[in-house]
Amino acid sequence: MAKALVFDTHSGKQCTVSQDLVQRLENASWVTSRQTTWSEGDSLFTQAQVDTLIYFPPRHPKRGTLDHIQAKQVLEAAAQAGIGHAIVISSAEVYGPRPHNIGFLPETRPRTYSGKNAVSRQWIALEEIAEGAFSGAKLTLLRPAPVLMPSGNTYFSRLFGGGLSGTLPGHDPSLQLLSPQDWIEAICLATQKSTGGIYNVAPDGVIPLRKALKMTRTRRLPAPKPLQGLVRRQHADQLDFVRYAWTVSNQKIKREWGFKPQHTTIEALGQFATQHKRGSAFLPDAVDFDDYGLDKGYVEAYRRTLFQFLRHIYWRIEHTGIENIPSEGRAVLTGVHRGFMPLDAVTTFLLIVTERQLYARFLIHPTLIKLPFQFNFMTKLGGMIACQENADYVLNHDDVLGIYP
């Protein structure tokens, strides 16, 4: 029978996940467990005679920064004591929020791709410390999507737990939110089935930021990042995680461990809102949001206003052959951009919506979503970052793929 040690330096309400994890492990027939902190000394690993360490890294209660010095001490002591399997709790934030993110990032994505975001760099440093300490032993790195805890002090728990939250104007990215129950289940599976490696832990489904704030009855206060940086307790780079999408793939953990999330993103958020704010969540009109941000209501608003002006007055668009676009099944639509103001793909998209009631998915360059408002415009019209993975996604869903190189 395996013996696991849950190491968490938080106390009180902040260690709810680790406490629930210990209770869950104690009820399992294949493992025994206990919870401890660093205050018991580095000889603990030898005395406890454990073979599995589940390590929650220490975080500053206000600034949210990681304590890399303590992490290095703990992990090196555990490795020297001969612990055969370390499960280190990292974060999906390690991938970094960037306009280049293709969506549903796999574990094979290089860590160096995360850019210069200070929050991401902290998680990268933690993973490198863990890999250095357990270079010759079994190491499992878990990268969860944001876990919403009613008593938590994480960025996203506070974002949706208060009455007023700062956001960035013109940015409404899609988010993944993980329930505590699914998170604990994933850690238990790691204890039982992992042979080492990196695993994303994410729910099924996404929700746009604005819809999430509305669902939790939280008012948003849009303000530029430099202005918010003057009054924030935590690093201003945390705001980038509500600026760009950074969804992660959960296919590997499903395939190798049989992980089946019991709660979607919307269900996890609704559960959080009910527990934290002591009232029912405000359910959105739609409960099945597009994975990459397509908003048909947004499309319809532009189709009836701006597009009518561009089609009938400004450009006086004429078209032939649109009836050849199949109403069902996959298809590839290609064209060549005109020079100045290349809105031809946008007008083609809206023309197809008007005449064929189809929503073609156009591949776009990352520079088109760097700026505020342009981000919303491109993503809500169904734009997806140009790459092989996203092209495959569209065609595998039997949709129309648009490419205007």
Side-chain angles (χ1 to χ4, degrees), residues 30 39 117 178 323 399:
W30 42 269
S39 60
N117 183 276
L178 187 65
E323 67 278 1
D399 290 328

Side-chain angles (χ1 to χ4, degrees), residues 37-69:
T37 65
W38 190 238
S39 60
E40 298 185 47
D42 57 4
S43 62
L44 170 70
F45 300 116
T46 304
Q47 296 172 356
Q49 296 181 343
V50 297
D51 50 37
T52 301
L53 170 67
I54 304 174
Y55 180 68
F56 290 80
R59 304 183 68 172
H60 192 281
K62 293 184 178 180
R63 295 191 298 271
T65 54
L66 298 177
D67 188 344
H68 292 133
I69 295 177

Side-chain angles (χ1 to χ4, degrees), residues 313-336:
I313 299 176
Y314 190 79
W315 279 316
R316 298 182 292 280
I317 297 173
E318 298 177 359
H319 65 84
T320 57
I322 197 170
E323 67 278 1
N324 295 323
I325 298 177
S327 58
E328 295 182 356
R330 66 188 68 177
V332 177
L333 177 66
T334 61
V336 179

Side-chain angles (χ1 to χ4, degrees), residues 307 322 333 343-353 362 404:
F307 179 62
I322 197 170
L333 177 66
L343 288 174
D344 41 11
V346 172
T347 54
T348 301
F349 165 78
L350 293 170
L351 187 64
I352 295 173
V353 173
F362 278 82
Y404 270 45

Side-chain angles (χ1 to χ4, degrees), residues 54-281:
I54 304 174
Y55 180 68
F56 290 80
R59 304 183 68 172
H60 192 281
K62 293 184 178 180
R63 295 191 298 271
T65 54
L66 298 177
D67 188 344
H68 292 133
I69 295 177
Q70 188 196 88
K72 183 177 176 64
Q73 293 174 344
V74 171
L75 293 174
E76 288 182 350
Q80 291 172 3
I83 290 181
H85 184 197
I87 301 173
V88 176
I89 307 305
S90 183
S91 170
E93 292 179 346
V94 73
Y95 294 106
R98 304 182 66 203
H100 297 76
N101 284 346
I102 63 175
F104 297 94
L105 299 166
E107 289 85 349
T108 54
R109 202 69 168 179
R111 282 190 296 238
T112 55
Y113 195 75
S114 63
K116 299 180 180 180
N117 183 276
V119 178
S120 300
R121 301 304 300 179
Q122 289 187 51
W123 291 110
I124 291 174
L126 173 69
E127 292 189 0
E128 290 175 344
I129 289 172
E131 290 172 343
F134 282 84
S135 58
K138 184 167 65 172
L139 171 66
T140 301
L141 296 173
L142 296 182
R143 296 173 173 176
V147 182
L148 297 179
M149 296 294 299
S151 58
N153 193 36
T154 62
Y155 172 68
F156 283 94
S157 294
R158 289 184 288 103
L159 179 72
F160 298 116
L164 181 68
S165 293
T167 61
L168 296 172
H171 291 272
D172 187 23
S174 297
L175 302 175
Q176 292 171 310
L177 303 170
L178 187 65
S179 72
Q181 295 85 357
D182 285 333
W183 176 216
I184 292 173
E185 173 65 18
I187 300 175
C188 291
L189 288 173
T191 305
Q192 185 179 13
K193 297 185 176 183
S194 177
T195 57
I198 300 173
Y199 293 86
N200 296 332
V201 185
D204 293 327
V206 300
I207 186 171
L209 172 63
R210 292 185 184 179
K211 293 290 186 181
L213 291 170
K214 184 177 181 180
M215 186 173 171
T216 56
R217 305 179 190 275
T218 303
R219 294 184 178 181
R220 62 185 183 91
L221 179 62
K225 180 179 176 180
L227 180 61
Q228 293 196 50
L230 297 176
V231 297
R232 290 177 58 83
R233 292 186 303 174
Q234 295 191 356
H235 202 289
D237 276 6
Q238 189 75 67
L239 286 167
D240 287 336
F241 290 91
V242 293
R243 182 181 183 186
Y244 301 119
W246 50 288
T247 52
V248 297
S249 171
N250 60 11
Q251 295 305 303
K252 180 181 178 181
I253 192 173
K254 285 183 174 181
R255 181 177 63 253
E256 297 187 9
W257 296 354
F259 175 67
K260 297 180 180 179
Q262 300 300 307
H263 303 276
T264 65
T265 287
I266 294 178
E267 291 170 346
L269 185 61
Q271 182 184 71
F272 170 81
T274 300
Q275 295 176 351
H276 184 77
K277 298 193 173 182
R278 299 180 181 179
S280 59

Side-chain angles (χ1 to χ4, degrees), residues 5-63:
L5 181 68
V6 179
F7 195 106
D8 191 351
T9 59
H10 298 109
S11 60
K13 295 182 179 180
Q14 297 305 315
C15 61
T16 304
V17 170
S18 58
Q19 290 174 345
D20 292 345
L21 174 63
V22 170
Q23 293 178 2
R24 172 69 183 277
L25 292 173
E26 288 176 346
N27 294 329
S29 59
W30 42 269
V31 66
T32 61
S33 65
R34 59 167 295 190
Q35 184 177 9
T36 188
T37 65
W38 190 238
S39 60
E40 298 185 47
D42 57 4
S43 62
L44 170 70
F45 300 116
T46 304
Q47 296 172 356
Q49 296 181 343
V50 297
D51 50 37
T52 301
L53 170 67
I54 304 174
Y55 180 68
F56 290 80
R59 304 183 68 172
H60 192 281
K62 293 184 178 180
R63 295 191 298 271

